[in-house]
Amino acid sequence: MDDREAKVVDGVPTVLFIGGAWREAPARFAVEDPATGEVIAHVADGTAADATAALDAAVEAQADWAATTPRQRGEILRRAYELLTARTDDLALLMTLEMGKPVAESRAEIAYAADFLRWFGEEAVRIDGRWTINPNGGARLLVMRQPVGPCLFVTPWNFPMAMGTRKIGPAIAAGCTMVCKPAELTPLSMLALADLLAEAGLPEGVLNVVTTTTPGEVAGAVLGDRRLRKLSFTGSTAVGRQLLAQSADAVLRVSMELGGNAPFLVFDDADLDAAADGAVVAKMRNTGEACTAANRFLVQRSVAEVFARRLADRLSAMRVGRGTEEGVEVGPLIDASQRDKVVELVDDAAGRGARVLPGGRAIDGPGYFFAPTVLDHVTADARLCREEIFGPVAPVIPFDSEDDGIAAANDTEYGLVAYVFTRGLDRSLRVCEALETGMVGLNQGMVSNAAAPFGGVKQSGFGREGGREGIEEYLSTKYVAIHT
């Protein structure tokens, strides 16, 4: 690390945040820069006992926090938004160092993360209820909304700041306290966020952060405690299933944002240049390490060859390197195991007859780099048609009719997001209605927006984050019958 990088990392607390205090753990673990393999920090390795202490703090703070006014909660979020925005450069560099994405993308994530704080700061004062007359007379009906209570948040490594604010923002707005367990690969962004929220005036115990290399033990200690009221998880479907099973005994309120296998549909009437540009956004954002990343490029047969070549031209021109370097557009994958998986998926597809256009290989040297890759002549039995790639690989699969394209898009257990490129209004409506996904990008390669409800169907989970719907996940409904 150079001097500025070291200064940014050194400015982040690397211990647990419990009850408004920073506290050490019995051991520490290393955080690595995936572009170099260099260890950039050692962070407190929390235990099950630390998780219980964090829940103790959240439970103790819950009643007073729920009693604060919506305006007070909203003002804390507004101040946090301003602080996050003002510190974009340092926080973006920190994110790049621990996660690898180019600094320009990290800045975009900081802006996205800040938008959740601003949005839910505005939503805090819009929590409402109902007052009505019993249809048969003789009584009044009062419906009120109250905070769910202490929450557990488990956040992923790929968007380490935004996935935090997407959960923390609505919880603060609703009046809930929380324990957050960030991914061990990228804990620094969450620790920096906790420090910033404390500076913004968040009371002690409302947010507690436990970093750990034993997530099962830490999460299990909290999930097994009957004082917990809600779990929100972003991560793989396999882990989500395990957490759902653990949550069943306590009948927790649960939100799950799980895996994806996003289809990117290109019809023969599409603007192919616009589709190729949109494909770069949908595939290459975050080096392809996103649940929303386009995973299967389903292209109508008459234009499949042309589209594949145009996409290949764009991806082969992208500069790969350490995210701190000027002009870099593609960073490393998060670690060696993820790079090895991408290699396996590409080799499997090539072994089944797929043709590699650009890329198709890991890049020699330090760090976990994989060359941007386009594959065509991909067969439906290739593993990457069923599994999340989580890397810079775009498989192009031809289809014939509109019905064939829709059927292929829906032929997956996942249902998070789909992308559709067509210039036909009628076709746009038909296809968007027929797709079995929670979100659709129509003639654009990006769906993420703090003002919109993010979430999926089928094995991609349930519940929504963002939009007006996002705060509903943190509110309980109480009905009072009033005799008159």
Side-chain angles (χ1 to χ4, degrees):
M1 292 189 293
D2 63 25
D3 290 345
R4 179 166 180 253
E5 293 168 0
K7 182 178 179 182
V8 166
V9 172
D10 290 344
V12 180
T14 55
V15 291
L16 312 179
F17 187 62
I18 298 175
W22 296 99
R23 53 189 271 184
E24 191 55 87
R28 285 178 167 249
F29 63 91
V31 179
E32 183 180 274
D33 178 349
T36 64
E38 177 188 1
V39 173
I40 61 172
H42 290 85
V43 173
D45 195 355
T47 64
D50 293 317
T52 298
L55 183 59
D56 290 343
V59 170
E60 184 178 354
Q62 179 60 55
D64 287 345
W65 180 238
T68 59
T69 67
R71 182 68 70 192
Q72 286 175 287
R73 300 196 295 265
E75 285 298 299
I76 290 170
L77 287 169
R78 181 188 60 79
R79 287 194 295 271
Y81 163 79
E82 292 171 350
L83 288 170
L84 195 57
T85 302
R87 296 173 190 173
T88 293
D89 289 345
D90 284 351
L91 292 172
L93 177 58
L94 178 72
M95 187 184 301
T96 292
L97 292 173
E98 70 171 344
M99 190 271 159
K101 70 182 74 178
V103 167
E105 286 199 34
S106 293
R107 288 195 187 100
E109 182 178 336
I110 297 298
Y112 180 46
D115 270 350
F116 285 107
L117 301 178
R118 176 168 60 177
W119 174 264
F120 286 110
E122 295 163 345
E123 288 295 291
V125 298
R126 297 189 177 93
I127 299 170
D128 57 15
R130 286 189 291 128
W131 170 266
T132 56
I133 300 173
N134 186 324
N136 296 324
R140 299 293 183 269
L141 314 179
L142 173 63
V143 178
M144 61 180 70
R145 312 303 304 283
Q146 296 178 312
V148 167
C151 306
L152 171 63
F153 297 153
V154 180
T155 60
W157 52 261
N158 56 342
F159 291 93
M161 186 72 75
M163 298 304 95
T165 61
R166 198 160 76 179
K167 300 178 191 300
I168 292 168
I172 289 175
C176 298
T177 59
M178 64 215 86
V179 176
C180 185
K181 189 217 74 65
E184 68 178 274
L185 293 170
T186 57
L188 298 174
S189 291
M190 180 59 71
L191 291 167
L193 177 61
D195 196 27
L196 183 148
L197 282 163
E199 184 179 343
L202 192 66
E204 296 177 358
V206 175
L207 171 64
N208 305 274
V209 179
V210 179
T211 53
T212 185
T213 59
T214 56
E217 293 179 15
V218 165
V222 181
L223 289 171
D225 193 311
R226 294 305 177 94
R227 298 173 298 170
L228 187 70
R229 293 292 180 264
K230 177 175 173 61
L231 165 67
S232 180
F233 170 73
T234 298
S236 72
T237 297
V239 174
R241 291 190 189 108
Q242 295 174 11
L243 292 173
L244 277 171
Q246 289 178 272
S247 303
D249 188 48
V251 195
L252 289 178
R253 282 277 293 270
V254 179
S255 302
M256 289 275 156
E257 196 267 280
L258 306 176
N261 186 7
F264 189 103
L265 284 156
V266 181
F267 290 93
D268 56 9
D269 64 343
D271 180 329
L272 293 185
D273 283 322
D277 290 341
V280 172
V281 175
K283 176 76 260 183
M284 298 304 294
R285 180 188 181 211
N286 224 49
T287 317
E289 294 176 311
C291 56
T292 55
N295 211 59
R296 298 167 293 147
F297 289 82
L298 304 171
V299 187
Q300 202 148 22
R301 193 175 302 276
S302 62
V303 296
E305 189 81 19
V306 175
F307 174 82
R309 289 294 177 186
R310 293 188 188 183
L311 181 57
D313 289 344
R314 286 162 170 78
L315 264 57
S316 62
M318 299 182 79
R319 183 182 171 196
V320 180
R322 190 171 188 242
T324 55
E325 297 172 5
E326 189 71 28
V328 165
E329 299 168 280
V330 183
L333 297 175
I334 190 64
D335 59 15
S337 63
Q338 181 57 35
R339 185 178 63 179
D340 291 346
K341 178 189 175 184
V342 173
V343 171
E344 286 181 13
L345 291 175
V346 171
D347 288 349
D348 171 78
R352 297 173 190 274
R355 179 176 60 171
V356 179
L357 298 180
R361 59 182 177 82
I363 298 174
D364 293 334
Y368 310 115
F369 294 94
F370 193 91
T373 300
V374 175
L375 305 171
D376 68 356
H377 303 296
V378 177
T379 55
D381 60 348
R383 282 177 54 195
L384 49 63
C385 291
R386 302 185 305 276
E387 301 177 27
E388 266 191 300
I389 300 169
F390 249 58
V393 177
V396 177
I397 306 156
F399 68 86
D400 292 306
S401 69
E402 179 181 310
D403 287 343
D404 291 337
I406 293 169
N410 288 337
D411 186 19
T412 174
E413 64 181 350
Y414 299 103
L416 185 61
V417 63
Y419 304 92
V420 178
F421 277 77
T422 176
R423 285 188 270 204
L425 177 59
D426 288 350
R427 171 176 278 169
S428 296
L429 294 174
R430 285 195 306 270
V431 174
C432 288
E433 288 180 352
L435 288 170
E436 297 171 353
T437 59
M439 301 174 289
V440 179
L442 179 59
N443 292 322
Q444 65 178 56
M446 176 85 76
V447 296
S448 299
N449 190 307
F454 188 104
V457 298
K458 300 196 290 188
Q459 296 290 310
S460 289
F462 48 82
R464 293 296 181 266
E465 295 184 313
R468 288 181 297 175
E469 295 81 0
I471 202 168
E472 297 294 327
E473 302 289 334
Y474 299 90
L475 294 169
S476 292
T477 300
K478 179 182 287 184
Y479 150 60
V480 180
I482 304 170
H483 176 72
T484 57

Short mmCIF file of all heavy atoms in Angstrom, two decimals, residues 12 24 28 33 38 51 59 99 109 132 144 165 174 205 272-273 275 284 311 362-363 391 409 434 449-450 474:
data_model
loop_
_atom_site.label_atom_id
_atom_site.label_comp_id
_atom_site.label_asym_id
_atom_site.label_seq_id
_atom_site.Cartn_x
_atom_site.Cartn_y
_atom_site.Cartn_z
N VAL A 12 -9.72 3.37 10.07
CA VAL A 12 -10.92 2.58 10.35
C VAL A 12 -10.72 1.76 11.62
O VAL A 12 -9.72 1.06 11.76
CB VAL A 12 -11.21 1.62 9.17
CG1 VAL A 12 -12.46 0.79 9.45
CG2 VAL A 12 -11.39 2.40 7.88
N GLU A 24 -12.23 -5.13 21.84
CA GLU A 24 -11.39 -6.14 21.25
C GLU A 24 -12.03 -7.52 21.35
O GLU A 24 -12.96 -7.73 22.15
CB GLU A 24 -10.01 -6.13 21.94
CG GLU A 24 -8.94 -6.95 21.26
CD GLU A 24 -8.72 -6.58 19.80
OE1 GLU A 24 -7.94 -5.67 19.52
OE2 GLU A 24 -9.35 -7.24 18.94
N ARG A 28 -7.67 -12.12 16.07
CA ARG A 28 -7.89 -11.28 14.89
C ARG A 28 -7.70 -12.10 13.62
O ARG A 28 -7.08 -13.17 13.65
CB ARG A 28 -6.92 -10.08 14.89
CG ARG A 28 -7.32 -9.00 15.89
CD ARG A 28 -6.33 -7.83 15.91
NE ARG A 28 -6.94 -6.71 16.64
CZ ARG A 28 -7.31 -5.56 16.09
NH1 ARG A 28 -7.14 -5.37 14.79
NH2 ARG A 28 -7.86 -4.61 16.81
N ASP A 33 -6.05 -7.60 0.16
CA ASP A 33 -6.32 -6.90 -1.09
C ASP A 33 -6.32 -7.94 -2.21
O ASP A 33 -5.28 -8.52 -2.52
CB ASP A 33 -5.24 -5.84 -1.34
CG ASP A 33 -5.42 -5.09 -2.66
OD1 ASP A 33 -6.27 -5.50 -3.49
OD2 ASP A 33 -4.71 -4.08 -2.87
N GLU A 38 -1.89 -8.91 -0.83
CA GLU A 38 -1.28 -8.30 0.36
C GLU A 38 -2.30 -8.16 1.48
O GLU A 38 -3.45 -7.79 1.25
CB GLU A 38 -0.74 -6.91 -0.01
CG GLU A 38 -0.16 -6.13 1.16
CD GLU A 38 0.19 -4.69 0.79
OE1 GLU A 38 -0.04 -4.29 -0.38
OE2 GLU A 38 0.69 -3.96 1.67
N ALA A 51 -21.45 -12.01 20.03
CA ALA A 51 -22.74 -11.84 19.37
C ALA A 51 -23.87 -11.70 20.39
O ALA A 51 -24.77 -10.87 20.24
CB ALA A 51 -23.02 -13.02 18.44
N VAL A 59 -31.13 -5.16 22.53
CA VAL A 59 -32.36 -5.33 23.31
C VAL A 59 -32.51 -4.20 24.33
O VAL A 59 -33.60 -3.64 24.53
CB VAL A 59 -32.38 -6.71 24.00
CG1 VAL A 59 -33.52 -6.81 25.00
CG2 VAL A 59 -32.49 -7.82 22.97
N MET A 99 -12.05 -5.03 -1.52
CA MET A 99 -12.93 -5.81 -2.38
C MET A 99 -12.42 -5.93 -3.82
O MET A 99 -12.69 -6.91 -4.51
CB MET A 99 -14.33 -5.17 -2.36
CG MET A 99 -15.42 -5.98 -3.00
SD MET A 99 -15.54 -5.56 -4.76
CE MET A 99 -16.37 -6.98 -5.39
N GLU A 109 -20.82 3.05 -5.76
CA GLU A 109 -21.47 2.32 -4.68
C GLU A 109 -21.67 3.20 -3.45
O GLU A 109 -22.69 3.10 -2.78
CB GLU A 109 -20.69 1.07 -4.29
CG GLU A 109 -21.43 0.32 -3.18
CD GLU A 109 -20.79 -0.97 -2.73
OE1 GLU A 109 -20.03 -1.57 -3.51
OE2 GLU A 109 -21.07 -1.39 -1.59
N THR A 132 -60.72 3.94 11.31
CA THR A 132 -61.95 3.75 10.54
C THR A 132 -63.09 3.36 11.47
O THR A 132 -62.88 3.03 12.64
CB THR A 132 -61.78 2.65 9.47
OG1 THR A 132 -61.37 1.44 10.11
CG2 THR A 132 -60.76 3.05 8.43
N MET A 144 -52.25 0.56 13.87
CA MET A 144 -50.99 1.28 14.09
C MET A 144 -49.81 0.44 13.61
O MET A 144 -49.89 -0.78 13.53
CB MET A 144 -50.84 1.65 15.56
CG MET A 144 -50.79 0.47 16.52
SD MET A 144 -50.62 0.99 18.26
CE MET A 144 -52.23 1.73 18.55
N THR A 165 -26.28 -0.30 4.17
CA THR A 165 -27.23 0.80 4.32
C THR A 165 -28.62 0.41 3.84
O THR A 165 -29.62 0.96 4.32
CB THR A 165 -26.77 2.05 3.54
OG1 THR A 165 -26.67 1.73 2.14
CG2 THR A 165 -25.42 2.55 4.05
N ALA A 174 -37.52 2.88 10.99
CA ALA A 174 -38.67 2.24 11.61
C ALA A 174 -38.58 2.22 13.13
O ALA A 174 -39.59 2.01 13.81
CB ALA A 174 -38.82 0.81 11.09
N GLY A 205 -25.96 1.30 21.15
CA GLY A 205 -26.71 0.05 21.15
C GLY A 205 -27.69 -0.13 20.01
O GLY A 205 -28.18 -1.23 19.80
N LEU A 272 -29.04 -3.28 -31.50
CA LEU A 272 -27.98 -4.17 -31.05
C LEU A 272 -26.83 -3.43 -30.38
O LEU A 272 -26.19 -3.97 -29.46
CB LEU A 272 -27.46 -5.01 -32.21
CG LEU A 272 -28.44 -6.04 -32.78
CD1 LEU A 272 -27.77 -6.89 -33.84
CD2 LEU A 272 -29.02 -6.91 -31.68
N ASP A 273 -26.55 -2.21 -30.80
CA ASP A 273 -25.51 -1.45 -30.11
C ASP A 273 -25.95 -1.08 -28.70
O ASP A 273 -25.17 -1.18 -27.74
CB ASP A 273 -25.15 -0.19 -30.91
CG ASP A 273 -24.26 -0.49 -32.11
OD1 ASP A 273 -23.37 -1.36 -31.97
OD2 ASP A 273 -24.45 0.13 -33.16
N ALA A 275 -28.10 -2.76 -26.98
CA ALA A 275 -28.12 -4.01 -26.24
C ALA A 275 -26.72 -4.41 -25.79
O ALA A 275 -26.52 -4.86 -24.66
CB ALA A 275 -28.74 -5.11 -27.09
N MET A 284 -20.63 -6.61 -16.46
CA MET A 284 -19.31 -6.28 -15.97
C MET A 284 -19.30 -5.40 -14.73
O MET A 284 -18.24 -5.18 -14.13
CB MET A 284 -18.51 -5.59 -17.08
CG MET A 284 -18.29 -6.48 -18.30
SD MET A 284 -17.47 -8.06 -17.90
CE MET A 284 -15.87 -7.46 -17.39
N LEU A 311 -20.44 -7.61 -28.47
CA LEU A 311 -20.14 -7.69 -27.05
C LEU A 311 -18.67 -8.07 -26.84
O LEU A 311 -18.01 -7.52 -25.95
CB LEU A 311 -21.06 -8.73 -26.39
CG LEU A 311 -20.88 -8.91 -24.88
CD1 LEU A 311 -21.06 -7.59 -24.14
CD2 LEU A 311 -21.87 -9.95 -24.35
N ALA A 362 -7.52 -17.32 -16.75
CA ALA A 362 -7.02 -16.55 -15.62
C ALA A 362 -5.76 -15.80 -16.06
O ALA A 362 -5.04 -16.25 -16.96
CB ALA A 362 -6.70 -17.48 -14.46
N ILE A 363 -5.52 -14.67 -15.45
CA ILE A 363 -4.38 -13.84 -15.81
C ILE A 363 -3.25 -14.11 -14.82
O ILE A 363 -3.44 -14.05 -13.61
CB ILE A 363 -4.76 -12.35 -15.82
CG1 ILE A 363 -5.84 -12.11 -16.89
CG2 ILE A 363 -3.56 -11.46 -16.07
CD1 ILE A 363 -6.40 -10.70 -16.89
N GLY A 391 -18.47 -13.77 -12.21
CA GLY A 391 -17.22 -13.41 -12.84
C GLY A 391 -17.48 -12.78 -14.20
O GLY A 391 -18.62 -12.75 -14.68
N ALA A 409 -35.60 -18.30 -20.50
CA ALA A 409 -35.33 -17.36 -19.40
C ALA A 409 -35.88 -17.88 -18.09
O ALA A 409 -35.24 -17.76 -17.03
CB ALA A 409 -35.93 -16.00 -19.73
N ALA A 434 -44.46 -12.01 -18.53
CA ALA A 434 -44.27 -13.46 -18.54
C ALA A 434 -43.03 -13.90 -17.77
O ALA A 434 -42.96 -15.06 -17.34
CB ALA A 434 -44.18 -13.96 -19.98
N ASN A 449 -31.89 0.78 -7.50
CA ASN A 449 -32.31 2.15 -7.23
C ASN A 449 -32.91 2.18 -5.83
O ASN A 449 -33.77 1.36 -5.51
CB ASN A 449 -33.35 2.60 -8.27
CG ASN A 449 -33.64 4.08 -8.19
OD1 ASN A 449 -33.96 4.60 -7.14
ND2 ASN A 449 -33.56 4.75 -9.33
N ALA A 450 -32.44 3.10 -5.00
CA ALA A 450 -32.93 3.16 -3.61
C ALA A 450 -34.43 3.40 -3.54
O ALA A 450 -35.07 3.02 -2.55
CB ALA A 450 -32.18 4.26 -2.85
N TYR A 474 -39.76 -3.83 8.38
CA TYR A 474 -39.31 -3.54 9.75
C TYR A 474 -40.45 -3.02 10.63
O TYR A 474 -40.20 -2.51 11.72
CB TYR A 474 -38.15 -2.54 9.71
CG TYR A 474 -36.98 -3.13 8.97
CD1 TYR A 474 -36.85 -2.95 7.59
CD2 TYR A 474 -36.06 -3.93 9.62
CE1 TYR A 474 -35.80 -3.54 6.89
CE2 TYR A 474 -35.02 -4.53 8.94
CZ TYR A 474 -34.90 -4.33 7.57
OH TYR A 474 -33.87 -4.93 6.89
#
